[in-house]
Amino acid sequence: MNAIYKQNLMAAALLCALAFATTIARAADALPSWNDTASKKSIVAFVEKVTKEGSPDFVPPAERVATFDNDGTLWAEQPMYFQLAFALDRVKALAPQHPEWKEKEPFASLLKGDLKGALAGGEPAIFQIVMATHAGMTTDEFEKNVRDWIATAKHPKTKRPYTEMVYQPMLDLLTYLRANGFKTFIVSGGGVDFMRVFSEKVYGIPPEQVVGSSGKLKFELRDGKPVLVKLPEIDFIDDKEGKPVAINKFIGRRPILAFGNSDGDLQMLQWTAAGSGARYMGVVHHTDAEREWAYDRKSSIGRLDKALDEAQAKGWIVVDMKKDWKRVFAFENK
Amino acid sequence: MNAIYKQNLMAAALLCALAFATTIARAADALPSWNDTASKKSIVAFVEKVTKEGSPDFVPPAERVATFDNDGTLWAEQPMYFQLAFALDRVKALAPQHPEWKEKEPFASLLKGDLKGALAGGEPAIFQIVMATHAGMTTDEFEKNVRDWIATAKHPKTKRPYTEMVYQPMLDLLTYLRANGFKTFIVSGGGVDFMRVFSEKVYGIPPEQVVGSSGKLKFELRDGKPVLVKLPEIDFIDDKEGKPVAINKFIGRRPILAFGNSDGDLQMLQWTAAGSGARYMGVVHHTDAEREWAYDRKSSIGRLDKALDEAQAKGWIVVDMKKDWKRVFAFENK
């Protein structure tokens, strides 16, 4: 072993020791935005038992897969799904290129500022709005649209960028899980191309760990340069029964921990629960009308009804935002 | 800092130092199964420039995505795709439960040992064989079938398990890339459920980094227990134009290095080449009739024709198995 090699080794050892010290420090105040209630304790107890070598509940790192819904679980979803807000803003931006929209629903109402009228057409209307704003362009062009929008758009209530409307306790949880060897995934009904633009920066979740709904794509050579064109056709809806299907298709491994907040997450939670060994199923319950919103069984957005019953019947963890979270958003003065 | 904490820190530092020493040792003889020809040099030169901080070609670790075709690129594909061999063996195993197959093509010919007759029906015949053996069961049941088969089946020529029919130089390459912060993915026309059974053990590639063709799935509750049933319908064919589509869908990031061996990989190579910054496009050319097989432009399996022309025209690396590889398989006496 020569001298330079030895020096490198010592330097590396020092760096590693520092990294190790940081991990220790982080573990000491894991989940700082959570109150010290049963929900937090259940998370810590679960993580400690599955990571303890020799424990009957030990899970090797490669199998520590954790999946999270996005809308209403990692970030807010009121007064409307943020991706719909993006689509509405894009309709306005694109209107000059589409004079025919002045006479055509749902665009006509939308451009007059009558959102209710525009959405009166139900799912077909929403489908038209989504396709007009999410298809007919390349994946690169779409990514740029989302990037530009997310950098400037503000939430109507808080006037904050949408990327600040993320739940700090859930960011704590993602960080804590990763520090304990978990691989964290998003499994959301939201558009995969939409979420990937900000998932790495906002959640620390890289694009290849984001699973979502998608439209069909077409590979084309344009002047010899390959592009992927977004077609106005649905490829896959990653919601309800679609979530376990997508987990199998994209991840190929059953999660040992899953978090959702609505009936759209029920099957993902059932699928997670049905594996062998230790499991953690969590439901974020929106109970805080003051700091966030309070809604569940009767909400058209993020309805939590069947999944709440099943969570209670099966002893899954129901996180009470009001009681369990010290703060909801990072921008709160707490 | 208390004493136990200090001790832990020292132990961690020592472990890290050992890990670091191992990495150094590995780098010293990177790609040991490659001859010291231009192909090996091009790989090392590429990896060194994209990993060198401050270099104009530097690529951050998160963006070091490398994609590999499987059949003919990571393992052999002669005298037939190994997954087809699996399907044929499964037909024989399932025959007692299907007395009607005795009268029904392509099964009747197959069960008489007349493979050529069975495959005379072309793609529809193959489709029937694949669906009879890959659908109508749960994902768990299918996984068990593959696991059992791969543990016992032998390659007709070498009499070795199929999992030993992997190219040692490509295993070297996967290891070398990962040691340099790359994330390695399979992007193959093969069935994703099939490959995931052995990809982690054989290639060190976890299921969530395997992209492939798939059938449709249905989520069902059976006696309250959720299962995913494999339906006899194609969901996605991950070949040709499908490869860039799948890369976008599953990975969401453009590879900076891609390896294939046939025309089915051309679009993946084009897509990789079209990104900005340093790129590496590699084609495995089957030139070694003695140690493996020699085939290219006229082969029905793994045809390499258009992609060979384009590789030559564009200066992509064409790996000559005979000249560039010190050995092909680990079991060779070399």
Side-chain angles (χ1 to χ4, degrees), chain B residues 115-280:
Chain B
L115 179 61
K116 210 178 149 190
L119 300 185
E123 280 198 15
I126 292 177
F127 181 82
Q128 278 195 67
I129 292 167
V130 170
M131 287 308 168
T133 53
H134 287 66
M137 68 200 84
T138 68
T139 48
D140 285 347
E141 289 161 355
F142 180 74
E143 185 185 321
K144 190 185 176 306
N145 291 343
V146 178
R147 198 173 293 284
D148 290 349
W149 179 81
I150 208 111
T152 53
K154 298 287 192 303
H155 187 274
K157 183 179 159 193
T158 64
K159 312 297 177 198
R160 297 274 174 173
Y162 286 99
T163 48
E164 290 185 20
M165 298 296 293
V166 299
Y167 305 135
Q168 188 57 42
M170 297 306 281
L171 295 181
D172 288 0
L173 177 54
L174 291 172
T175 304
Y176 175 58
L177 290 172
R178 289 192 292 255
N180 281 283
F182 281 75
K183 209 163 178 176
T184 53
F185 291 83
I186 291 174
V187 176
S188 164
V192 67
D193 290 354
F194 179 79
M195 294 184 288
R196 280 173 173 162
V197 174
F198 55 86
S199 65
E200 188 151 42
K201 199 173 157 191
V202 174
Y203 301 129
I205 297 180
E208 63 270 23
Q209 286 162 228
V210 179
V211 179
S213 298
S214 54
K216 287 202 192 287
L217 295 174
K218 187 170 178 289
F219 178 87
E220 268 181 31
L221 289 176
R222 289 187 178 172
D223 300 326
K225 193 182 145 61
V227 293
L228 291 170
V229 181
K230 287 171 72 68
L231 303 179
E233 266 179 86
I234 288 174
D235 175 45
F236 185 76
I237 298 290
D238 185 26
D239 197 33
K240 299 190 170 70
E241 288 83 2
K243 290 203 176 195
V245 168
I247 287 170
N248 187 79
K249 195 152 93 167
F250 285 77
I251 308 176
R253 221 172 329 225
R254 197 190 296 252
I256 64 166
L257 178 149
F259 252 97
N261 78 298
S262 79
D263 285 357
D265 302 310
L266 177 56
Q267 289 80 0
M268 171 169 78
L269 295 165
Q270 290 172 333
W271 182 244
T272 303
S276 60
R279 312 264 119 198
Y280 191 99

Side-chain angles (χ1 to χ4, degrees), chain A residues 15 73 87 232 257 314:
Chain A
L15 278 174
T73 300
L257 178 149
K314 295 194 171 162

Side-chain angles (χ1 to χ4, degrees), chain A residues 16 183 196 208 248-249, chain B residues 16 183 196 208 248-249:
Chain A
C16 286
K183 209 163 178 176
R196 279 172 173 162
E208 63 270 24
N248 186 79
K249 195 152 94 168
Chain B
C16 287
K183 209 163 178 176
R196 280 173 173 162
E208 63 270 23
N248 187 79
K249 195 152 93 167

Side-chain angles (χ1 to χ4, degrees), chain A residues 20 29 79 84 105 107 125 136-137 140 142 171 207-208 210 216 218 222 238 269 279 286 294:
Chain A
F20 184 75
D29 63 347
L84 184 57
E105 290 299 350
F107 306 101
M137 67 199 86
D140 285 346
F142 179 74
L171 295 181
E208 63 270 24
V210 179
K216 286 202 192 288
K218 188 169 179 288
R222 290 187 177 171
D238 185 25
L269 296 165
R279 313 263 119 199
H286 294 264

Side-chain angles (χ1 to χ4, degrees), chain A residues 201-231:
Chain A
K201 199 173 158 194
V202 174
Y203 302 129
I205 298 181
E208 63 270 24
Q209 287 161 225
V210 179
V211 179
S213 297
S214 54
K216 286 202 192 288
L217 295 173
K218 188 169 179 288
F219 177 88
E220 269 182 31
L221 289 176
R222 290 187 177 171
D223 300 326
K225 192 181 147 61
V227 293
L228 291 171
V229 181
K230 287 171 73 68
L231 303 179

Side-chain angles (χ1 to χ4, degrees), chain B residues 60-80:
Chain B
E63 291 168 27
R64 292 180 203 157
V65 169
T67 56
F68 291 83
D69 171 58
N70 185 39
D71 298 305
T73 300
L74 295 180
W75 73 356
E77 60 185 349
Q78 299 287 359
M80 68 173 87

Side-chain angles (χ1 to χ4, degrees), chain B residues 88 91-93 95 98 101-102 106-114 118:
Chain B
L88 301 184
V91 166
K92 287 173 205 155
H98 292 275
W101 283 355
K102 278 186 192 147
F107 305 102
S109 295
L110 204 61
L111 293 171
K112 282 181 219 144
D114 176 13

